[in-house]
């Protein structure tokens, strides 16, 4: 059974499209850099509903060790150093995928 990690970001009001583009460029490099990633997707919210966040990241990994490897990988940590100052809020969840 694998693990799915979902992170939802709400940007501060002063975050620019250029900053979001930088985040997207950093995240785009992770699948080729972090061996533990089995599937990886991210993007801005489409604004189709209420109670939403601005941006989502979805990562599929084999197991807890894979999640820890992704979480602690230097390339992921570098992306987080850019993302954290931009955040007004964040939510995350990890759950097991069915076999």
């Amino acid at each position: 059974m694998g693990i799915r990690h979902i992170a939802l970001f709400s940007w501060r009001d002063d975050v620019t499209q250029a900053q979001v583009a930088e985040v997207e460029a950093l995240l785009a490099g992770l699948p080729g850099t972090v061996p533990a990633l089995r599937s990886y997707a991210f993007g801005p919210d489409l604004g189709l509903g209420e109670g939403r966040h601005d941006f989502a990241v979805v990562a599929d990994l084999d197991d807890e060790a894979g999640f820890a490897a992704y979480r602690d990988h230097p390339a992921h940590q570098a992306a987080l150093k850019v993302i954290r100052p931009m955040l007004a809020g964040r939510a995350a969840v990890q759950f097991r995928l069915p076999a």
Side-chain angles (χ1 to χ4, degrees):
M1 272 201 280
I3 291 178
R4 178 162 291 159
H5 162 70
I6 300 173
L8 303 172
F9 305 145
S10 293
W11 303 130
R12 290 188 346 238
D13 289 338
D14 61 342
V15 169
T16 66
Q17 287 296 77
Q19 288 173 295
V20 174
E22 179 184 5
V23 167
E24 291 175 328
L26 288 167
L27 296 178
L30 294 181
T33 305
V34 181
L37 288 171
R38 298 297 168 241
S39 176
Y40 199 69
F42 58 86
D45 180 70
L46 298 177
L48 303 176
E50 298 294 320
R52 58 188 187 80
H53 287 73
D54 297 312
F55 197 89
V57 176
V58 179
D60 289 347
L61 307 114
D62 288 334
D63 51 26
E64 289 90 345
F67 174 73
Y70 162 71
R71 180 194 63 211
D72 299 338
H73 193 282
H76 182 245
Q77 289 298 312
L80 290 177
K81 283 183 183 179
V82 173
I83 292 168
R84 283 187 183 118
M86 297 168 56
L87 293 177
R90 178 185 177 274
V93 63
Q94 298 82 39
F95 61 93
R96 292 201 184 283
L97 296 171

